Amino acid sequence: MQQLKKIPFFLFLLVLFFCLHGWLENYGFIRFTELLLPGLLIFLCVLLLTGIVYLFTKDLLYASLITFFISLWYLFFGALHDGVQSLPFLSFLKSYAAMAALLLAATPAWIFFLKKKKRLHQKLVLYLNLLLLIYCLIDIFSLGKKGLAGSTAGATASVGFDTARVAQKPDVYLLVFDEYPGFESLTDSFAFANKGMRDYLAANDFEVLPVFSNYDLTYFSMSSILNMQYIKDDFENLRLTQKDFQKRGVEINHAAVIPLFRSMGYAIENLSVFDLDDQPALSVDNPFLLAHTTLLTDKMFHNRLQRDLGRHLQKTIPFWNNNSFYQHDADNKQVEELLLRSVQQKKTGPAFVYAHFMMPHGPYYYDSLGNKNAFEKIADYTRWKDKALFVSYLRYINNRVYKMADTITRRNPGAVVVLMGDHGYRSFDNPNPAIAARYNNLCAVRMPGKKQLSFKEKWSTVNLFRSLFNNGFGQNIPYLPDSTVVLAF
């Protein structure tokens, strides 16, 4: 017991609890091995801060208690900020400025209190050692129960598929351009016919399909497309949680189309922002995704500031590094480079290639001529409602789409090529989230030998792969009823 009064085990236990609790909160979506490196780095930072404080205090317990308080609110800032959102009597803390100011003010107050109450140091050390040890044991027990019960995140059901009916096995390229609207909504809502894209598709044997997306959010839309079915009704519309998106991520990883392609001898190439077939996403730093170690570190003070206020901080603090604002652009260029490289490589068998581009989704980095827009011009989310900016960016994106599609059709003329948006444009200045234009997305398919897909007058993307397998691979998979689901304001 004397050791628990004199040795600040709670510094290590705080980091251990942070990792264990993060793992528990995100069980099934983050692996144990992914906790090790961030946990080690955080503990080293805690030790470094303790050493710095000790240089001034010359008292290990005093320095440890100061470090504990700073580390506590720094590590759990996001959890604290999220917690006050649901408490009306703490509404004054909902802003980042108020919350940060309170915690920064409380730090010197805590230091002053400890300086005046030195007789409490050993009692506080004992209390924190025991408290965090109990918390860690509770989390270990809870993790053990979850482990015995098995993960709730599993693969989705597949459809019947007869490989004996497959006559040809062309490469299949699924190129998804996030939030690319269909011709109908661009004409009606933007007074922009997108004639360049329409003419390109017609001249290169692409068939524009009369489809609409089933969901207005990427995670949900891509899960339904790649699983050929609607999402299980286990979420509350317009009140989605992080877990809802994590479940969709797991569904995409275990997408039903993958074993069907594998049954035909296809290799799978993942050039997307999602894990697919246990192939990791190309970028784990993309702010669009909360996955892997980001699930653990997202609540830390600097990450919350960077995620939610980064673009504002860069405008007011010249030295603030806001690389995450340009992460979509960096990822888009990487996906394009890897796609073009893949097309030019000789393959030993058929391949299914899924490339997902976060464009023309905002921010609108370039104008129609490819000139980079100034940060101040595009940093604010409200500029995503600027239709002129969007159309200018879309013209630029079209030229990149032409280049990629030309490379594929020139090098691999027998391939199936799908160019599509996962959903329509969402940033309408309209209070009604159910407006049809949000679901009107581009979908154009090029089949080998100029073969056309059979389709109804109007159908939705949940049936895209059902149609591809039926028309291109000799299957007879039944189609699902077409409908839309409103998810976002």
Side-chain angles (χ1 to χ4, degrees), residues 435-446:
I435 57 174
R438 292 167 66 107
Y439 301 88
N440 178 235
N441 61 308
L442 173 72
C443 187
V445 179
R446 187 180 191 272

Side-chain angles (χ1 to χ4, degrees), residues 122 137 160 196 260 266 335 431 481:
Q122 285 196 2
L137 290 174
L260 300 186
Y266 275 70
V335 174

Side-chain angles (χ1 to χ4, degrees), residues 413-426:
V416 175
V417 185
V418 182
L419 307 176
M420 67 179 297
D422 55 340
H423 53 76
Y425 177 83
R426 251 197 340 256

Side-chain angles (χ1 to χ4, degrees), residues 305-317:
L305 289 185
Q306 180 72 3
R307 190 191 76 179
D308 295 339
L309 302 178
R311 65 191 67 197
H312 303 296
L313 292 171
Q314 181 159 324
K315 288 190 291 186
T316 56
I317 306 176

Side-chain angles (χ1 to χ4, degrees), residues 31 155 226 249-263 266-272 274-281 352 354:
R31 295 186 292 272
L226 294 172
V250 172
E251 291 163 3
I252 292 169
N253 188 14
H254 300 289
V257 300
I258 301 302
L260 300 186
F261 277 115
R262 287 206 177 281
S263 71
Y266 275 70
I268 310 299
E269 293 186 32
N270 180 27
L271 307 178
S272 80
F274 301 105
D275 291 347
L276 181 72
D277 192 38
D278 288 332
Q279 296 181 35
F352 169 62
Y354 168 37

Side-chain angles (χ1 to χ4, degrees), residues 477-489:
I477 304 171
Y479 294 105
L480 299 179
D482 300 301
S483 68
T484 56
V485 181
V486 179
L487 296 172
F489 286 104

Side-chain angles (χ1 to χ4, degrees), residues 1 46 84 121 153 181 184-185 214 269 316 320 359 369 376 467:
M1 185 64 72
V46 169
V84 302
H121 288 188
E184 182 181 338
S185 64
N214 303 101
E269 293 186 32
T316 56
W320 188 271
M359 60 184 191
L369 300 178
E376 295 75 16
S467 178

